[in-house]
Amino acid sequence: FPFIGLLAKGLIKFYPEHKTKLSAFLHNTPTEVSDAATTSLRNEINHLLQECQVYCLRLIKIDEKLVFDEPTPFEKGLKKKLTNQSLYENIKLLHGEIFAFYSKLQSQELEEEETKELEQIIYASRNVMNSMKNFKGIKHNLDEFDGSDNQYLNSQYALFRKRIIELYHDMTRIMEIEHKEEQYQKLLEAFVHVETLDKRFIKETMVASTKKQIQEIEIASLLMVNRLFTQACRLQVFSLKDLLLSHAQVNNFDRALDMKDILEEEKNKVRKEENDNDPS
């Protein structure tokens, strides 16, 4: 066994398998100092969001350099990009590290406000993961739109790409805002914009159906993809809300959305009554 002999003489050195550190902030942060640990957890979930965004961009064949100025931590220093599957698995593992750190931090003696803050930011990580799963679930449909002979489906594929780039640019700008109240307002605007594009898509799909530009099965596919896509966008806005805003601002944000839903329901009731009373 010449290999063993060489190893014994020190001519061949054995190196244990290197374990890649997926966390960019947690691995050097003790949970005993709650303020520092909470800040580190918040930063790590923001890292999770960025890696999720890279994954979503690549799923629909968008160069992440259109959003990110430099490689995200997973690929910093690597000679080549991770495959989509490897990136997806790394994101899931990082989420596991985040949750383990959160659980360890919860075992410390914390004030009630500290506990609420932790619950809020860990909820952001769940929204990130659910958003990514939505994107993963519609990839094959988006590929079909891209490769279809139907020009309308091609145009909708391009539209989905445009919508995600616009959202990520909005989110990047929001993260760079220093004043919390301005962040709050811009997050509300980002959410309303997501909802506006959702409604516009549905309306345009119905028009295309009337004009026989798409078949029934294509209508169903378009509406399903748009529903999951829109929900993924909402979840990413919500994740940013929980990462950036105070607990009081988050409550105000949620109430504002509830009020918007109530007002929308009332508008729909009025429209229905007007239509029912229309003699024509």
Side-chain angles (χ1 to χ4, degrees), residues 116-145:
K116 288 181 180 178
E117 183 180 7
L118 282 175
E119 290 174 350
Q120 177 178 311
I121 60 180
I122 200 65
Y123 197 71
S125 75
R126 293 171 58 191
N127 282 335
V128 170
M129 298 305 293
N130 287 330
S131 171
M132 185 176 69
K133 289 176 183 176
N134 273 12
F135 269 102
K136 189 172 188 288
I138 60 177
K139 172 179 165 46
H140 68 286
N141 300 96
L142 291 169
D143 287 343
E144 288 177 358
F145 297 165

Side-chain angles (χ1 to χ4, degrees), residues 226-259:
N226 180 65
R227 178 174 59 80
L228 293 176
F229 179 93
T230 300
Q231 182 63 6
C233 293
R234 289 190 192 109
L235 290 170
Q236 290 197 32
V237 173
F238 289 157
S239 69
L240 203 57
K241 169 202 68 171
D242 288 329
L243 283 177
L244 297 180
L245 301 184
S246 67
H247 189 65
Q249 284 179 313
V250 166
N251 288 337
N252 290 338
F253 188 101
D254 294 341
R255 279 199 295 268
L257 297 189
D258 289 342
M259 182 60 66

Side-chain angles (χ1 to χ4, degrees), residues 6 44-45 48 52 60 88 98 115 119 129 135 143 146 166 174-175 188 205 214 227-228 233 254 261 268 277:
L6 292 172
E44 198 67 71
I45 295 173
L48 181 78
C52 169
I60 47 180
Y88 183 77
I98 286 170
T115 301
E119 290 174 350
M129 298 305 293
F135 269 102
D143 287 343
D146 183 32
E166 287 180 350
I174 290 169
M175 284 188 280
L188 271 176
T205 300
I214 43 179
R227 178 174 59 80
L228 293 176
C233 293
D254 294 341
D261 289 341
N268 289 335
N277 295 329

Side-chain angles (χ1 to χ4, degrees), residues 53-65:
Q53 289 179 334
V54 170
Y55 176 78
C56 295
L57 289 170
R58 290 182 184 175
L59 278 187
I60 47 180
K61 304 167 189 173
I62 297 174
D63 187 346
E64 63 269 20
K65 290 179 183 177

Side-chain angles (χ1 to χ4, degrees), residues 59-80:
L59 278 187
I60 47 180
K61 304 167 189 173
I62 297 174
D63 187 346
E64 63 269 20
K65 290 179 183 177
L66 293 174
V67 177
F68 296 97
D69 294 330
E70 58 183 24
T72 48
F74 278 177
E75 294 183 342
K76 191 166 287 186
L78 295 184
K79 293 182 179 179
K80 63 179 183 178

Side-chain angles (χ1 to χ4, degrees), residues 184-239:
Y184 172 85
Q185 293 296 333
K186 294 300 181 183
L187 277 164
L188 271 176
E189 289 176 16
F191 182 85
V192 170
H193 189 56
V194 168
E195 297 299 291
T196 300
L197 294 178
D198 172 44
K199 291 180 173 62
R200 182 184 302 170
F201 183 94
I202 294 171
K203 183 177 180 180
E204 291 176 353
T205 300
M206 295 301 100
V207 171
S209 171
T210 302
K211 293 181 178 180
K212 306 297 183 183
Q213 292 176 286
I214 43 179
Q215 305 300 316
E216 287 185 4
I217 191 169
E218 293 168 336
I219 297 168
S221 184
L222 281 166
L223 293 176
M224 183 273 292
V225 168
N226 180 65
R227 178 174 59 80
L228 293 176
F229 179 93
T230 300
Q231 182 63 6
C233 293
R234 289 190 192 109
L235 290 170
Q236 290 197 32
V237 173
F238 289 157
S239 69

Side-chain angles (χ1 to χ4, degrees), residues 11-147:
L11 298 178
I12 294 179
K13 294 184 178 181
F14 174 73
Y15 294 97
E17 183 181 354
H18 174 67
K19 183 179 179 181
T20 303
K21 288 186 176 69
L22 296 177
S23 65
F25 301 94
L26 299 183
H27 58 279
N28 290 324
T29 306
T31 55
E32 289 75 19
V33 184
S34 61
D35 286 349
T38 300
T39 298
S40 185
L41 185 63
R42 191 187 301 274
N43 290 335
E44 198 67 71
I45 295 173
N46 182 52
H47 167 215
L48 181 78
L49 173 60
Q50 290 178 333
E51 301 292 359
C52 169
Q53 289 179 334
V54 170
Y55 176 78
C56 295
L57 289 170
R58 290 182 184 175
L59 278 187
I60 47 180
K61 304 167 189 173
I62 297 174
D63 187 346
E64 63 269 20
K65 290 179 183 177
L66 293 174
V67 177
F68 296 97
D69 294 330
E70 58 183 24
T72 48
F74 278 177
E75 294 183 342
K76 191 166 287 186
L78 295 184
K79 293 182 179 179
K80 63 179 183 178
K81 295 179 179 180
L82 297 170
T83 64
N84 284 350
Q85 185 60 33
S86 295
L87 180 56
Y88 183 77
E89 293 300 327
N90 279 0
I91 292 170
K92 290 199 300 182
L93 290 171
L94 176 59
H95 186 235
E97 289 184 24
I98 286 170
F99 201 84
F101 186 88
Y102 164 73
S103 299
K104 189 175 180 182
L105 186 53
Q106 273 196 315
S107 67
Q108 308 297 319
E109 291 187 7
L110 302 172
E111 300 292 335
E112 183 179 354
E113 286 303 312
E114 291 177 318
T115 301
K116 288 181 180 178
E117 183 180 7
L118 282 175
E119 290 174 350
Q120 177 178 311
I121 60 180
I122 200 65
Y123 197 71
S125 75
R126 293 171 58 191
N127 282 335
V128 170
M129 298 305 293
N130 287 330
S131 171
M132 185 176 69
K133 289 176 183 176
N134 273 12
F135 269 102
K136 189 172 188 288
I138 60 177
K139 172 179 165 46
H140 68 286
N141 300 96
L142 291 169
D143 287 343
E144 288 177 358
F145 297 165
D146 183 32

